[in-house]
Amino acid sequence: MLPQAMELWIPITIAAAFLQNLRSALQKRLRSSLGTRGASFVRFGFGFPIAILYVSFLHGVIGYAFPALSGRFALWAVIGGLAQIYATILLVHLFSLRNFAVGTAYSKTEPVQAALFGFVLLGEKLTTGAVLAILVGVFGVMLISMARSPLSPKSLLTSLTGRTALIGIASGGIFGISAVAYRSAALALDGPNPIMQAAVTLVCVTGFQTVYMLVWMLATDRSEIGRVVRSWRSSSLVGLAGVLGSACWFTAMALQPVAYVRALGQVELIFTFAASWFLFKERLNLRELLGCLLIVSGILGLLLA
């Protein structure tokens, strides 16, 4: 049973990557009619009822028991929920600054950042292969940042410290924090199996995120709530894709360490290229394409290392 359970995370992760790309593409379209917060909120607000139905199905039909909650679970759920909210806001904003594929590629520096954080903060040792993989990924980011500027040391420094690059890299880093927090939350539950633990984590997190963002919009811009309600058809699709993708991510990370799941999840860039080309009619120049491919190569190399 254990080998089968361990292999299950692979198709689940690929499904999560596809659904995440679909949700991001829908959010990019919504960005033209909603503000950044509104386009980010629909992921949680419209996904929360679906998450409740998912847990109800697992409990009422499949017969899985509810896990026991704890203070440790609540702490990790809140940390992960807040990190995901702000990472999503940064990513949605990034789509208005660069094209869909490049914006997504910047956020996909997450596994490389996680490895560096582990080395700097936790003293985790890096193999020679891991260091080389990280350098490949960093070079990919450098190529993307300079894709529309002359090749020179000065333009390189300006590009890497520019607003677009910093927003994208920050988004990837905060998404990495949320992933670690979600895995920790799911493992903190005393549940019957990883699937139910991931589902309950999903309900609690999306419920918290929905309330948090509603209060935020009520306090700062109530008109945004009206725009969200009026766009309910498109918004509900974002919520559906988002909650199904999150269910897959949470389940995969309950079965396997975050580093492996997120590294395999870089297959999303393949779906991203297709969406950027066919849906948004965006064209990548040669340096942007090479940069995206180098980021994927660096992450896969990190996984192998």
Side-chain angles (χ1 to χ4, degrees):
M1 290 296 293
L2 184 57
Q4 292 179 351
M6 292 298 285
E7 293 297 325
L8 184 62
W9 71 276
I10 296 176
I12 291 176
T13 300
I14 294 173
F18 173 80
L19 289 165
Q20 179 165 293
N21 180 72
L22 176 61
R23 184 258 303 156
S24 294
L26 292 170
Q27 280 181 307
K28 178 178 171 64
R29 285 186 178 275
L30 273 179
R31 180 66 179 79
S32 60
S33 58
L34 299 178
T36 300
R37 277 176 300 185
S40 303
F41 166 77
V42 297
R43 170 182 184 175
F44 314 116
F46 286 87
F48 179 47
I50 301 169
I52 293 176
L53 290 175
Y54 177 48
V55 168
S56 300
F57 172 79
L58 291 179
H59 177 67
V61 179
I62 306 298
Y64 292 156
F66 286 111
L69 305 182
S70 65
R72 183 166 172 262
F73 163 79
L75 175 62
W76 282 118
V78 169
I79 292 173
L82 290 174
Q84 189 178 36
I85 285 173
Y86 289 104
T88 300
I89 288 174
L90 288 174
L91 182 61
V92 172
H93 179 60
L94 186 62
F95 291 151
S96 67
L97 303 178
R98 291 294 289 269
N99 67 42
F100 184 62
V102 174
T104 303
Y106 269 128
S107 71
K108 292 304 164 191
T109 57
E110 171 196 331
V112 175
Q113 292 188 70
L116 290 173
F117 290 154
F119 174 71
V120 174
L121 300 177
L122 304 177
E124 296 175 344
K125 296 187 181 299
L126 297 176
T127 65
T128 302
V131 172
L132 291 175
I134 290 171
L135 291 176
V136 169
V138 169
F139 186 62
V141 175
M142 291 166 60
L143 269 183
I144 291 175
S145 68
M146 296 183 64
R148 302 184 186 277
S149 60
L151 285 173
S152 68
K154 182 179 179 179
S155 62
L156 172 61
L157 180 62
T158 302
S159 297
L160 284 178
T161 57
R163 182 184 178 194
T164 302
L166 292 178
I167 289 174
I169 294 170
S171 175
I174 300 172
F175 270 127
I177 294 172
S178 73
V180 172
Y182 287 152
R183 173 169 169 79
S184 300
L187 295 179
L189 291 174
D190 183 14
N193 55 60
I195 294 177
M196 190 61 172
Q197 290 168 232
V200 170
T201 302
L202 177 63
V203 167
C204 293
V205 168
T206 53
F208 164 73
Q209 290 170 322
T210 299
V211 173
Y212 181 88
M213 292 207 71
L214 273 176
V215 172
W216 186 8
M217 288 190 294
L218 281 170
T220 57
D221 187 3
R222 297 189 178 190
S223 63
E224 186 75 355
I225 298 176
R227 290 192 290 271
V228 168
V229 173
R230 287 191 292 273
S231 67
W232 68 269
R233 289 182 178 85
S234 300
S235 297
S236 60
L237 292 177
V238 174
L240 178 61
V243 77
L244 291 177
S246 293
C248 291
W249 284 124
F250 284 26
T251 302
M253 289 187 292
L255 293 169
Q256 195 75 301
V258 172
Y260 293 105
V261 174
R262 286 306 200 186
L264 178 58
Q266 303 316 307
V267 71
E268 182 190 350
L269 276 179
I270 296 175
F271 305 132
T272 299
F273 288 141
S276 182
W277 185 276
F278 293 109
L279 292 180
F280 302 114
K281 309 302 180 184
E282 297 171 340
R283 299 295 180 262
L284 300 176
N285 66 30
L286 181 59
R287 272 186 265 172
E288 286 174 332
L289 179 60
L290 287 176
C292 291
L293 292 176
L294 282 172
I295 291 173
V296 174
S297 300
I299 290 163
L300 292 177
L302 185 61
L303 176 59
L304 293 174

